[in-house]
């Protein structure tokens, strides 16, 4: 297989990839929520 | 008269700019047909007129300037820079005909804001804009996110000769495939795949919050187009705040996060290399700066007791910060709340987030997480050099689609682009102050236009001076194309006129 035909390799199966990207975005969101929760907690005890 | 070499170079640039205009003219047919479907016949006429005018100008340029020569690197770069300006002038025509703008410059401002995925707007009476105009606004931002040159490359097969110059000129420098045309097509395939997923999810969310199915579909489609493109336009003047829905905010958060990823990362993950998400220098850099700036913003907001409970802090504080960092510009607060409620520390966190921005070769703006990561690695490398014997060689590695060794050229390139960003950011800040706005507000708005973000502190309105509008248009353009195409365009035109004078 030459380089050019390798470059034409299809993007399938794509569903696990889509789910992985969405899961990664959700993890970043959960990290943000965690930081906000800690901020609220620190403000509450100080 | 025999054509000189500089004339032939200009002909190549104008020929391809004309071709891009031809492609652009066909985009007018989408809102034209939409307007017909919704019975907005006057709006449809505006779009058909614009289609005819842009097609005629583009076709004339392409035909008159055809000289049979293939474009080189320099032609591609100059075409990228010039075509964005020409496309902005052309695409403003339907806006101007709609009567929703006070001047043609305001219409051009909104086109540049849309194409560069900034999201600031000077439109009048946004809440009563026709379906056709709203379709045009969001279509521009969706196409601009992927790149108008990328669209042309995906459509026109004969530009492959100097195609890489066109592609790099538009601020993208990663090849997903060996052929630049296959890369352009892959970018569009990825974007259209997510268009179906995102629109479907937001459509259902819209129905769940009480919108009619048709309205939920249109809002879902438009919000998604702006979301994925990290654009920030919305059909209502209250932006995402209009929906008052945690579900809508969560979905927009997910899609602007994914939209801010590098297209090369999308391609790698969709091909099955999911570990790249966790080890890529860009995602690590983005995750780190997002966490640090969230802490800073939370500290500032909690100190002033702006949002006393977790839900408000997440939906108002964290959402705004994430929207700034991905350079989306979606808002769940009013612009003046930044100035009146947030306080200096939280605003500073948002300004830093807007300046850093999302990923290289993505729809996002800012000087990009990749460059932050590279400069951080360079600092580590130089620190190691200081601590080790002068004879030792320090090799610094980083993960970016495989293990790479940090080179001086990469550091220099990253530093120069960051420096140029800071330069035009300072320029827009000074322009804001000269127009009479307070320093913090000028700096905030300058970071927003330069990073193609779209968050506003209330500075950008139709009443700002013409000079400030022009500065903002320039910054959006320069920030989106990342300077190379701008410098090439100025150099190309300067060289042309210099030779003509001699």
């Amino acid at each position: 297989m030459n380089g050019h035909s390798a470059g034409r390799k299809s993007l399938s199966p794509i569903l696990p990839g889509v789910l992985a990207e969405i899961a990664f975005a959700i993890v970043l969101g959960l990290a943000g929520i965690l930081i906000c929760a800690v901020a609220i907690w620190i403000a509450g005890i100080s | 008269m025999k054509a000189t070499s500089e004339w032939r170079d200009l002909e190549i640039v104008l020929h391809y700019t004309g071709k891009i205009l031809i492609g652009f003219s066909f985009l007018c047919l989408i809102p034209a047909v939409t307007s017909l479907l919704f019975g907005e016949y006057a709006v449809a006429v505006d779009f058909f007129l614009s289609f005819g005018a842009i097609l005629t100008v583009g076709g004339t340029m392409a035909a008159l300037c055809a000289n049979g020569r293939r474009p080189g690197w320099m032609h591609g770069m100059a075409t990228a820079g010039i075509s964005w300006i020409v496309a902005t002038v052309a695409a403003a025509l339907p806006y101007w005909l709609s009567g929703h703008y006070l001047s043609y410059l305001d219409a051009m401002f909104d086109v540049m804001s849309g194409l560069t995925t900034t999201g600031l707007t000077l439109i009048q009476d946004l809440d009563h804009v026709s379906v056709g105009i709203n379709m045009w606004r969001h279509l521009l931002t969706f196409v601009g996110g992927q790149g108008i040159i990328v669209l042309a490359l995906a459509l026109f097969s004969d530009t492959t000769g100097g195609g890489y110059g066109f592609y790099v000129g538009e601020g993208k420098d990663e090849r997903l495939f060996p052929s630049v045309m296959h890369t352009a097509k892959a970018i569009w395939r990825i974007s259209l795949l997510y268009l179906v997923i995102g629109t479907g999810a937001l459509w259902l969310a819209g129905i769940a919050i009480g919108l009619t199915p048709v309205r939920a579909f249109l809002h879902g489609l438009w919000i998604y187009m702006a979301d994925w493109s990290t654009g920030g336009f919305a059909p209502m003047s209250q932006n995402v705040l209009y929906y008052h829905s945690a579900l809508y905010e969560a979905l927009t958060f997910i899609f602007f996060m994914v939209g801010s990823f590098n297209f090369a990362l999308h391609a790698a993950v969709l091909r099955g290399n999911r570990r790249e998400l966790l080890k890529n220098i860009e995602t690590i850099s983005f995750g780190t700066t997002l966490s640090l700036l969230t802490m800073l913003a939370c500290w500032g907001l909690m100190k002033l007791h702006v949002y006393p409970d977790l839900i408000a802090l997440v939906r108002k504080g964290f959402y705004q910060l994430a929207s700034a960092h991905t350079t989306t510009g979606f808002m769940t607060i009013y612009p003046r709340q930044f100035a009146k409620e947030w306080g200096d520390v939280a605003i500073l966190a948002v300004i830093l987030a807007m300046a850093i921005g999302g990923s290289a070769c993505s729809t996002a703006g800012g000087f990009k997480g990749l460059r932050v990561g590279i400069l951080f690695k360079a600092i580590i490398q130089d620190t190691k050099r200081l601590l080790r014997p002068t004879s030792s060689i320090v090799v610094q590695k980083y993960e970016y689609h495989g293990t790479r060794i940090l080179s001086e050229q990469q550091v220099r390139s990253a530093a120069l682009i960051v420096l140029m960003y800071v330069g035009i950011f300072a320029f827009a800040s000074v322009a804001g102050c000269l127009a009479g706005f307070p320093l913090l507000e000028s700096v905030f708005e300058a970071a927003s236009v330069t990073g193609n973000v779209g968050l506003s502190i209330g500075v950008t309105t139709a009443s700002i001076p013409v000079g400030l509008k022009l500065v903002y248009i320039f910054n959006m353009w320069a920030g989106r194309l990342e300077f190379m195409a701008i410098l090439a365009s100025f150099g190309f035109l300067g060289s042309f006129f210099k030779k003509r004078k001699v």
Side-chain angles (χ1 to χ4, degrees):
Chain A
M1 183 185 284
N2 63 33
H4 192 69
S5 57
R8 284 170 177 270
K9 191 174 135 185
S10 80
L11 293 174
S12 61
I14 50 172
L15 189 60
V18 169
L19 292 176
E21 290 196 319
I22 290 173
F24 187 69
I26 291 171
V27 167
L28 288 174
L30 291 175
I33 292 171
L34 183 65
I35 292 168
C36 290
V38 171
I40 294 275
W41 176 66
I42 291 172
I45 60 169
S46 60
Chain B
M1 191 176 74
K2 195 180 172 186
T4 57
S5 63
E6 61 267 25
W7 262 117
R8 283 196 290 268
D9 286 337
L10 186 64
E11 279 175 349
I12 294 170
V13 171
L14 293 178
H15 172 72
Y16 283 99
T17 302
K19 281 194 152 189
I20 289 164
L21 277 185
I22 293 170
F24 219 77
S25 70
F26 283 98
L27 285 180
C28 289
L29 296 178
I30 297 174
V33 171
T34 310
S35 300
L36 285 178
L37 286 174
F38 285 86
E40 299 170 339
Y41 300 115
V43 182
V45 169
D46 290 348
F47 279 106
F48 281 119
L49 280 174
S50 303
F51 164 69
I54 299 170
L55 182 65
T56 305
V57 173
T60 306
M61 281 171 70
L64 289 180
C65 298
N67 63 11
R69 291 178 66 196
R70 296 193 74 78
W73 171 270
M74 179 262 292
H75 304 113
M77 296 294 283
T79 304
I82 292 167
S83 65
W84 272 68
I85 294 292
V86 175
T88 297
V89 176
L93 188 57
Y95 276 169
W96 186 64
L97 292 171
S98 74
H100 280 278
Y101 291 87
L102 299 182
S103 67
Y104 203 85
L105 182 65
D106 285 10
M108 282 173 53
F109 182 99
D110 266 30
V111 173
M112 187 59 93
S113 177
L115 286 177
T116 57
T117 72
T118 303
L120 291 168
T121 183
L122 300 181
I123 197 167
Q124 303 297 306
D125 197 17
L126 175 58
D127 293 338
H128 301 99
V129 162
S130 63
V131 172
I133 287 291
N134 256 325
M135 183 63 84
W136 188 232
R137 294 175 70 230
H138 294 89
L139 188 64
L140 287 180
T141 209
F142 188 63
V143 169
Q146 281 45 258
I148 58 174
I149 311 280
V150 168
L151 176 66
L153 283 168
L155 293 175
F156 301 128
S157 58
D158 64 338
T159 54
T160 47
Y164 195 52
F166 289 91
Y167 181 68
V168 174
E170 206 169 39
K172 291 182 167 63
D173 54 3
E174 290 292 332
R175 288 198 207 209
L176 279 57
F177 292 108
S179 150
V180 74
M181 193 186 306
H182 287 126
T183 298
K185 285 181 177 170
I187 285 175
W188 271 98
R189 272 202 301 275
I190 293 166
S191 297
L192 292 174
L193 164 74
Y194 272 103
L195 177 73
V196 174
I197 297 169
T199 303
L202 288 167
W203 184 17
L204 293 176
I207 292 171
I209 61 173
L211 299 178
T212 61
V214 174
R215 195 168 150 81
F217 174 76
L218 288 174
H219 280 236
L221 176 67
W222 294 333
I223 289 286
Y224 176 77
M225 283 175 161
D227 201 9
W228 168 262
S229 302
T230 63
F233 276 160
M236 307 306 291
S237 59
Q238 285 181 311
N239 208 269
V240 172
L241 175 64
Y242 171 80
Y243 303 100
H244 291 286
S245 163
L247 176 61
Y248 228 79
E249 288 160 24
L251 288 172
T252 51
F253 173 89
I254 289 169
F255 290 117
F256 68 57
M257 278 287 166
V258 177
S260 76
F261 294 163
N262 193 317
F263 277 108
L265 180 67
H266 286 301
V269 174
L270 295 181
R271 282 184 191 131
N273 182 13
R274 291 186 285 281
R275 287 189 61 80
E276 189 67 27
L277 274 169
L278 302 175
K279 58 183 187 179
N280 189 298
I281 186 174
E282 215 164 18
T283 51
I284 293 171
S285 165
F286 180 81
T288 306
T289 51
L290 180 68
S291 302
L292 291 174
L293 292 171
T294 303
M295 287 178 205
L296 187 65
C298 283
W299 191 81
L301 292 170
M302 294 311 296
K303 197 177 155 200
L304 296 176
H305 305 289
V306 183
Y307 302 118
D309 63 89
L310 178 62
I311 292 175
L313 187 62
V314 171
R315 290 182 63 183
K316 307 293 180 187
F318 178 59
Y319 187 91
Q320 254 58 230
L321 190 88
S323 174
H325 207 324
T326 55
T327 75
T328 307
F330 276 159
M331 296 180 76
T332 54
I333 60 171
Y334 291 102
R336 291 309 290 167
Q337 283 182 277
F338 277 126
K340 300 292 182 192
E341 294 178 0
W342 270 47
D344 293 349
V345 176
I347 288 181
L348 186 65
V350 174
I351 290 172
L352 289 172
M354 291 194 288
I356 295 169
S359 297
C361 192
S362 72
T363 64
F367 52 71
K368 313 285 165 56
L370 176 63
R371 297 191 182 105
V372 173
I374 284 177
L375 292 178
F376 182 72
K377 289 278 183 185
I379 291 169
I380 292 175
Q381 189 180 30
D382 273 19
T383 308
K384 284 180 184 169
R385 277 183 188 148
L386 287 172
L387 298 174
R388 289 184 187 172
T390 48
S391 57
S392 67
I393 296 170
V394 179
V395 175
Q396 188 68 44
K397 293 178 182 173
Y398 65 97
E399 290 293 329
Y400 187 72
H401 305 287
T403 304
R404 298 189 186 195
I405 294 172
L406 189 69
S407 71
E408 294 293 327
Q409 178 57 36
Q410 287 165 339
V411 176
R412 185 173 183 274
S413 168
L416 278 177
I417 289 183
V418 171
L419 195 65
M420 284 193 275
Y421 260 105
V422 172
I424 63 167
F425 161 62
F427 174 58
S429 301
V430 171
C433 289
L434 289 175
F437 292 101
L439 176 65
L440 194 63
E441 294 181 19
S442 299
V443 169
F444 187 100
E445 215 77 356
S448 185
V449 290
T450 311
N452 301 135
V453 182
L455 290 180
S456 178
I457 199 165
V459 170
T460 305
T461 62
S463 62
I464 59 173
V466 168
L468 190 57
K469 287 176 191 170
L470 290 171
V471 169
Y472 284 177
I473 288 174
F474 173 80
N475 272 37
M476 289 189 274
W477 178 53
R480 173 65 176 82
L481 298 188
E482 297 193 334
F483 309 104
M484 277 177 74
I486 312 288
L487 296 174
S489 301
F490 284 138
F492 178 81
L493 292 175
S495 153
F496 173 77
F497 286 114
K498 198 174 165 187
K499 284 177 185 169
R500 296 297 300 166
K501 269 176 84 175
V502 174

